[in-house]
Amino acid sequence: SQNPKFSIIFWYLLKNRKHLLWSYIVFAMLFLAVANPVFIILGGERSTQKVCRKLVPLLNPQDKIIDFDDYEQDLPFYTKRRVAIYNWVGELEFGRDNDANHENWFFPSTRVQDAINIPIEEGQKLYLIVRDEYKQNMPENHTFEFVDKEGVQNIYVRTK
């Protein structure tokens, strides 16, 4: 039931430990040569680093960031601040359940209009991050600026 060629190669490598070590090294190098470009492509697709380069200079300490219907895990890292989340819990459920102040950061509403209309104070800005599919739901009567993230996400800024 086993492949005899594989058995012979395996026996040879076990008998010659030096060859076993070199085969591991060659396999690891081949794997990294193939996998590294894939990791770079996938990492660039999900990263918010580019948009945060545009967003961070605009932020004031009192401003709020809301991530709607998704959670970009690197967004708090690049902005150096906590991010409110609408219509998403996922892997953050444990943290939400153990945070006494979770009602200010986790919102169960599924309507983008509820996220848009969150109360803000005078001089405060609301940065709402939404996917393209919600773009048509953005009201025209609000003062929103559009900050581009190359078509992956849209950031709308509401001021009071």
Side-chain angles (χ1 to χ4, degrees), residues 75-146:
L75 191 60
F77 174 78
Y78 289 123
T79 60
K80 306 277 190 267
R81 62 177 62 217
R82 197 169 181 185
V83 175
I85 303 167
Y86 260 81
N87 193 31
W88 183 264
V89 178
E91 69 275 11
L92 301 175
E93 184 175 5
F94 177 77
R96 180 201 61 192
D97 294 345
N98 292 292
D99 182 6
N101 197 19
H102 72 275
E103 63 276 349
N104 293 324
W105 299 102
F106 293 92
F107 302 94
S109 177
T110 59
R111 294 172 8 105
V112 72
Q113 288 82 7
D114 293 338
I116 292 168
N117 294 318
I118 187 171
I120 57 174
E121 299 170 9
E122 190 67 36
Q124 189 177 36
K125 289 184 180 177
L126 171 72
Y127 294 87
L128 177 64
I129 301 173
V130 297
R131 293 197 305 259
D132 280 338
E133 64 194 73
Y134 297 105
K135 195 173 178 180
Q136 70 274 5
N137 296 335
M138 303 306 289
E140 294 179 19
N141 60 344
H142 282 73
T143 55
F144 280 100
E145 300 170 35
F146 175 66

Side-chain angles (χ1 to χ4, degrees), residues 16-114:
N16 301 300
R17 303 260 180 207
K18 184 172 138 181
H19 296 284
L20 180 64
L21 175 66
W22 280 109
S23 65
Y24 280 138
I25 291 171
V26 168
F27 176 75
M29 289 173 55
L30 287 173
F31 175 77
L32 289 175
V34 171
N36 193 41
V38 173
F39 294 148
I40 290 171
I41 290 168
L42 292 178
E45 288 290 319
R46 291 293 298 168
S47 177
T48 62
Q49 185 178 21
K50 288 179 184 177
V51 74
C52 287
R53 280 191 208 134
K54 296 177 185 178
L55 180 61
V56 168
L58 304 174
L59 292 173
N60 291 316
Q62 72 274 16
D63 294 342
K64 282 190 171 193
I65 301 173
I66 296 178
D67 207 352
F68 185 81
D69 203 33
D70 199 1
Y71 178 60
E72 303 290 345
Q73 295 186 3
D74 56 347
L75 191 60
F77 174 78
Y78 289 123
T79 60
K80 306 277 190 267
R81 62 177 62 217
R82 197 169 181 185
V83 175
I85 303 167
Y86 260 81
N87 193 31
W88 183 264
V89 178
E91 69 275 11
L92 301 175
E93 184 175 5
F94 177 77
R96 180 201 61 192
D97 294 345
N98 292 292
D99 182 6
N101 197 19
H102 72 275
E103 63 276 349
N104 293 324
W105 299 102
F106 293 92
F107 302 94
S109 177
T110 59
R111 294 172 8 105
V112 72
Q113 288 82 7
D114 293 338

